Amino acid sequence: MIHIERGGEGEREREREMGADLESLSEATSGAIGSLLSTTILYPLDTCKTKYQAEARDHGQQKYRF
């Protein structure tokens, strides 16, 4: 005996695909936000590090005040 539900297998397959699409979208959004925050925080710190390294090579003359 075969039982056919309303909507059938095609409908369930579309629901699964939609769930996968939403999951992928949320993961992509999380990655983009993480990358944005990382870049926003790390670039200024990298600039300070570079200035500090340049100062150390300048024969002991202090150019920047920390």
Side-chain angles (χ1 to χ4, degrees), residues 50-62:
T50 303
K51 286 182 178 183
Y52 180 75
Q53 289 173 341
E55 179 183 309
R57 293 182 185 166
D58 197 24
H59 304 293
Q61 296 177 347
Q62 186 175 9

Side-chain angles (χ1 to χ4, degrees), residues 29-44:
T29 303
S30 297
I33 291 171
S35 176
L36 178 69
L37 288 175
S38 172
T39 301
T40 303
I41 293 169
L42 292 179
Y43 270 111

